Each structure stands twice: as structure tokens, then as C-alpha cells.
Amino acid sequence: MRLKLLTLALTLAAVSLPSHGEDLLDAYREARANDPVLAQADATRLATGEGVNQARALLLPQISGSLSLNQTTGGNNGYVQDPNDPNQFISSSTFGHSRTRSLNANLSQTVFDFSKYANLKAAHASANAQDETYEAALQDLYVRVATAYFTVLTDEDQLTYAKANEDAYKEQYDQAVQQYKVGIAAITGEFQAKSYYEAAKAQTIAAQNTLDNDREALSQITGQPTGNLKKLRDELPMHSPDPADPDAWVKQALINNPSLLAQQQNVQAADANVTAARSGHLPTITANVSYGKTASWYENAAIHSNTPSQTTVGLTLNVPIFSGGLVHSQVRQSIYNRDAAQDSMEIERRQVKASTLNYYRSVLAGISQVQSGKAAVESAQKALDATRAGFNVGTQTMINVLLAIQTLTQAEGTYSQARHQLVLDRLLLKQSAGTASLDDLQEINALLQ
């Protein structure tokens, strides 16, 4: 009894997969906890955010203190000041050492330094850029997990169809051998069937290898072994993108795409760096309060000297006059960096626009491809049935049967790829528009069974 190829494929799929398996949200949760790419983006975001604290710290009071104790070893023969009467000197002839203790404290506060304010603004912009970069990495994780997941599903379908194709060719080969033995068919049919059968075996091996590799690729993202995955249900939503206007999607992408927003923040940071560099020509004012106290004494002598503590309060005005052209060079360098940042932003803007339009058109084309693919599978199955019937009555050749089997297998593979790609294109369109979220994964997950 001959089995229809599509029926056999579905039977093999049902046998190979249990009723319950890992779904897309399971894979995402594992990736969210274990993906090193996202973890790296998060660490970079946190590290860049510390730049704001460091830039702000330079505008806050700076307090420092020091305590020193010095000892001088050697003879002392001469006169020293009488500690009881500063106007009198007494003879001192000692051999030993003298010690001096100094206590100092200093408080400084920036009153005016325009470069520090500009650097703080640049640090804020850089931190905001990294926040957007992290958001882009998070949305990219949605896409990477979904892509790897549906790639495995596509591979499983291709392996199922390859096995069904191999079994169908094996059946035709066995039939051709039997017909040749009883003398009702030429040996040419046997050779043709064997050629297709051997090629189908090689395709099955290749399909299995591709599946193993792509399952490992999913494990690389999740950090966990890939188990049995839930399949995409037969009926998929065929609605067009909402809104059904590509310009509206582009407008949304130019406002919300996190990668583009990160580039815009980088331009702001670069512009602030230009301001900071130009501030090298401006004077700075710093307020200072210092306190100091010193004491000294000598070994083997009843002499102890205390210097009265001193407190100094003042303002320091620093006016740059000439630095060998350093500031001019730093300004030019900052302007070049800003120009490069603006060019990068323009490149990203054009890429976002092109990607959004491409994915919008891909969704529309994918809907038609899925519909056409389903019809192609149904037609190819009917053609195979008719060709086999014709072969049995002698109106069709063995090569026609083999080609009909091949056509059906190709149609099934194309249909499977179109279904999975349509789901991914919808997610990619939202990622390009900057609106991809966990809700989108949940909607996709609801399509699994």
C-alpha cells in the first residue's frame, strides 16, 4: 500500500515530537538569563553610566588631608630659638636627631570651569546612548531567539520531508525492481528509481546535519541544551501590517528605533566634547580653604617648637595664555569626531528607513507566499496521485513519478519556510520600528502547539 507523501510527513512529525515541548517563551527566558551578548551590553551600559558620577564629582567640593612625620639624623652645634622667649637664642650642642610633624587639610571648590560642565553634559549623553544601545540589544535578543527557534522548526520540517521523500523513492525503487523481475518493465526504470533514491538518502543526511547545527546555535543563545520544540500551528493570521502605510512605519522607526536614538545621543556627546575642548581657552576660578600646623623637637634637648596653625582662604584665577597649540588641536579633533558621529547617525538613519520598508514589503509578500505555498502543496499532491495512477496503467513513466515526488517535496519545504519566515518578518518589522517587545513574543508563542 502506497502512502501519500504529505500524510507520511505529518505522521513522521507526530511520531518524532511529543505533545508537550519547549516553547518560544521558554527559550527566551533561558536566553534572558544566560545570553552573554545581552549581559555584555548591560555591563557596558552600567560602566558608561559611571562616567556621569565621575564627571559630576569634579564639580563637587574636593577635600584632602595629610599628616607627615620627618626625622633628621645628625649633629647640631649652634644656637636655637628659646621656646620661652622667641627673641632669645641659646647654645645647643647635641648629637642625635630632630623630628618635625606637619598636619595639613585642604578644601577646594570649582567656582567656574566651563569644560567640566560640558564634560558632564557629554557624560549624560554617552550614558543615554548606551541605554538605547542596551534597548537595541534587548530587542535584538527577541529576534535572535525567535530566528534560531524557527530555524530549528524549519530544519525539522525539512528533515521530515527528506525522510518521507526517501521512503517514497524507496517504495518506487522496490516497485521498479519487482516489475523488472516479472518482466513488465525495463531495467531503465530500476536505474532511474535507484538514482533518485540514493540522492534522497544523501539529502536526508544533509538535513539531519543542518538540524543538529542549528539546534546547537539555539543552545548557544540560551545556554541550555535544546529540547523538543513546539511547532507552528496550521492556521496563521494573514492580516497586513497595521498601520497599512509604509511611510507611517518609517516615521515611527525614525522616532523610536533605539539604535538610531543611540547615534543621536552620540552626536550630542560629541558636540559637548567640542564645547569642552573650546573651554580650554577660558579662565577657571577655584575657591580654596587650607589649614596647616607644624611642630618640631630635638632629641636630648628640652627644646620643643610649635608653629601656630594657619588657615588660608582664597580664590585662584587661572588664565590660559599659550599651550603650544594644544587647545586648538583638541578643538579640531573634537570637531572631526563630531562630524564622524553625525555621519554614523546618517548611515544608521538610512539603514533604519531601508530596513523598515524592506520588512514591510516582506510581510506583504510573505502573506502571498504562504497562500501560494499551501495551494502548491495541494496541487503537487494531486499531481503525484494522478501520475502514480497513470504509471500503474502505463500512461506515465517512472521518471514522471519520481519528478512528481520531487515536486511535492520541494513545495512542502518552500511552504514550511514561508510560514516561519512570515512570523519572523512581522517581528523584524517591529524591531526596525523600535517597538518590539515581550508582548510580541507572547503573541508568536500563542501560535505554537
Side-chain angles (χ1 to χ4, degrees):
M1 180 179 66
R2 292 187 295 270
L3 292 175
K4 293 183 179 180
L5 190 59
L6 180 59
T7 304
L8 179 58
L10 295 176
T11 302
L12 289 174
V15 171
S16 61
L17 292 176
S19 59
H20 177 74
E22 181 181 1
D23 61 18
L24 183 60
L25 288 181
D26 292 333
Y28 168 73
R29 282 189 286 266
E30 293 169 350
R32 187 68 175 81
N34 300 305
D35 180 52
V37 176
L38 184 65
Q40 182 186 46
D42 187 36
T44 302
R45 175 180 66 89
L46 295 174
T48 305
E50 291 300 322
V52 176
N53 298 326
Q54 295 171 14
R56 184 187 295 113
L58 298 178
L59 292 169
L60 299 178
Q62 310 292 308
I63 303 174
S64 62
S66 65
L67 174 63
S68 64
L69 179 62
N70 300 313
Q71 176 175 297
T72 302
T73 303
N76 182 26
N77 189 4
Y79 293 91
V80 297
Q81 190 177 46
D82 188 344
N84 300 318
D85 186 358
N87 295 321
Q88 297 295 325
F89 292 86
I90 61 176
S91 176
S92 173
S93 180
T94 63
F95 293 90
H97 58 258
S98 64
R99 291 177 178 173
T100 303
R101 181 181 65 230
S102 298
L103 174 65
N104 296 281
N106 185 72
L107 167 65
S108 64
Q109 170 64 56
T110 297
V111 177
F112 177 80
D113 190 338
F114 201 72
S115 65
K116 292 182 179 179
Y117 291 100
N119 288 332
L120 178 59
K121 183 178 179 180
H124 275 292
S126 296
N128 292 337
Q130 202 57 50
D131 288 341
E132 295 295 344
T133 300
Y134 175 76
E135 176 62 25
L138 183 59
Q139 293 193 28
D140 184 62
L141 180 63
Y142 301 146
V143 173
R144 287 192 294 120
V145 172
T147 300
Y149 186 97
F150 283 105
T151 297
V152 172
L153 293 188
T154 300
D155 292 342
E156 289 178 345
D157 286 348
Q158 298 302 320
L159 178 60
T160 298
Y161 300 142
K163 289 181 178 178
N165 194 40
E166 179 185 341
D167 292 341
Y169 282 139
K170 179 64 167 59
E171 181 183 352
Q172 290 300 132
Y173 173 62
D174 292 340
Q175 184 179 3
V177 171
Q178 185 63 30
Q179 289 179 342
Y180 173 72
K181 287 182 179 180
V182 299
I184 62 175
I187 195 173
T188 304
E190 178 182 341
F191 290 156
Q192 290 174 337
K194 181 175 177 58
S195 174
Y196 276 80
Y197 171 55
E198 294 297 336
K201 289 168 64 177
Q203 290 176 353
T204 301
I205 295 173
Q208 180 65 62
N209 184 64
T210 300
L211 173 59
D212 293 340
N213 291 339
D214 289 335
R215 288 175 67 87
E216 184 61 31
L218 178 57
S219 297
Q220 187 177 358
I221 300 175
T222 62
Q224 301 294 331
T226 301
N228 293 324
L229 305 182
K230 289 186 176 180
K231 294 258 188 193
L232 196 62
R233 71 188 187 193
D234 293 335
E235 296 299 326
L236 297 179
M238 293 288 108
H239 57 80
S240 300
D242 184 22
D245 179 9
D247 292 335
W249 282 94
V250 170
K251 182 178 179 180
Q252 187 179 45
L254 296 179
I255 296 175
N256 297 322
N257 185 276
S259 295
L260 181 58
L261 294 177
Q263 292 293 344
Q264 293 173 353
Q265 291 294 329
N266 286 335
V267 171
Q268 293 185 19
D271 192 58
N273 288 332
V274 172
T275 302
R278 285 174 173 162
S279 300
H281 295 293
L282 300 178
T284 61
I285 301 176
T286 306
N288 295 279
V289 178
S290 61
Y291 171 85
K293 185 176 183 180
T294 302
S296 61
W297 62 94
Y298 296 89
E299 183 184 27
N300 302 326
I303 302 174
H304 192 279
S305 175
N306 282 317
T307 301
S309 62
Q310 296 180 341
T311 301
T312 304
V313 179
L315 288 175
T316 301
L317 172 65
N318 182 43
V319 181
I321 298 176
F322 179 70
S323 58
L326 175 63
V327 175
H328 289 286
S329 177
Q330 290 174 336
V331 171
R332 291 194 300 271
Q333 183 184 49
S334 299
I335 292 175
Y336 297 148
N337 288 333
R338 182 187 61 186
D339 292 343
Q342 290 174 339
D343 292 335
S344 297
M345 181 183 68
E346 179 60 19
I347 292 172
E348 187 67 30
R349 189 190 70 82
R350 296 182 185 184
Q351 181 61 49
V352 166
K353 180 179 178 180
S355 298
T356 303
L357 291 174
N358 289 340
Y359 290 132
Y360 181 87
R361 290 190 290 262
S362 295
V363 172
L364 295 180
I367 293 173
S368 299
Q369 289 172 343
V370 170
Q371 294 171 340
S372 299
K374 183 177 181 180
V377 171
E378 294 173 351
S379 298
Q381 182 65 65
K382 293 178 181 179
L384 175 59
D385 293 340
T387 304
R388 276 177 166 167
F391 176 75
N392 291 334
V393 298
T395 59
Q396 297 286 345
T397 64
M398 173 62 70
I399 191 65
N400 290 338
V401 175
L402 297 174
L403 290 175
I405 295 174
Q406 186 181 66
T407 299
L408 176 57
T409 303
Q410 291 175 346
E412 290 174 325
T414 301
Y415 178 51
S416 171
Q417 291 177 346
R419 281 163 40 84
H420 295 150
Q421 191 59 48
L422 175 60
V423 175
L424 290 176
D425 284 340
R426 292 186 187 278
L427 181 60
L428 287 167
L429 176 59
K430 290 192 174 184
Q431 181 199 26
S432 185
T435 60
S437 65
L438 184 58
D439 292 339
D440 296 309
L441 286 191
Q442 292 174 339
E443 291 180 5
I444 296 174
N445 200 63
L447 301 177
L448 302 176
Q449 61 181 6

